[in-house]
Amino acid sequence: MQISMKCSIAVHCLIFIHEAKGIAKVTSTLLSQSTGCNPVIIRNTISALKKAGIITVARGTGGAELCHDPSEITLYQIYSALEPDGLSSLIGIHACQGLQCPVAQNIHHVLQNPYHKIEDAIKETMEGITLQSMIDDFHKFV
């Protein structure tokens, strides 16, 4: 079970965008250098964040900016922008329903409720973490 690295790359980019406001025009090249990621990955990340309404990017000249105050952007929004079906596929159930074994025939039903509870708890926790709180944590280390 793992939340993909797309989320950490996106948070990195968003903190960089916030910190660079008024200092530098944030482009995919600059973000690629900061994250150590391939520029294509950064462009895909930026595109997903833009589509979700988290950032805006100036046409032509580039330059990403946050659309909302960091206190209004949650980790869940960021994650959902990159992994729309992420939580529902976070914990998988193996395929075995066609087997004759009574456990195999019912394991999906047995695990469905506990897995939904786990997904709900993760979502609730992620909704309680804002970009601002992560920026505040960032400032503790610089």
Side-chain angles (χ1 to χ4, degrees), residues 93-97 101-112:
I93 301 174
H94 62 291
C96 64
Q97 289 175 305
C101 172
V103 176
Q105 292 174 358
N106 293 293
I107 194 67
H108 187 277
H109 300 293
V110 170
L111 292 175
Q112 192 171 13

Side-chain angles (χ1 to χ4, degrees), residues 8 21 42 53 64 67 92-93 109 125 136 142:
S8 72
K21 185 175 182 175
I42 297 302
C67 289
I93 301 174
H109 300 293
T125 299
D136 292 344
V142 292

Side-chain angles (χ1 to χ4, degrees), residues 40-90:
V40 173
I41 292 171
I42 297 302
R43 284 192 288 276
N44 290 339
T45 301
I46 294 301
S47 177
L49 294 170
K50 182 179 175 185
K51 184 178 178 183
I54 295 171
I55 63 168
T56 184
V57 180
R59 287 198 176 270
T61 59
E65 295 183 11
L66 299 177
C67 289
H68 307 281
D69 187 271
S71 64
E72 298 172 3
I73 301 170
T74 69
L75 184 57
Y76 182 73
Q77 290 171 313
I78 297 165
Y79 176 74
S80 295
L82 298 152
E83 301 281 357
D85 299 320
L87 285 185
S88 62
S89 64
L90 189 62

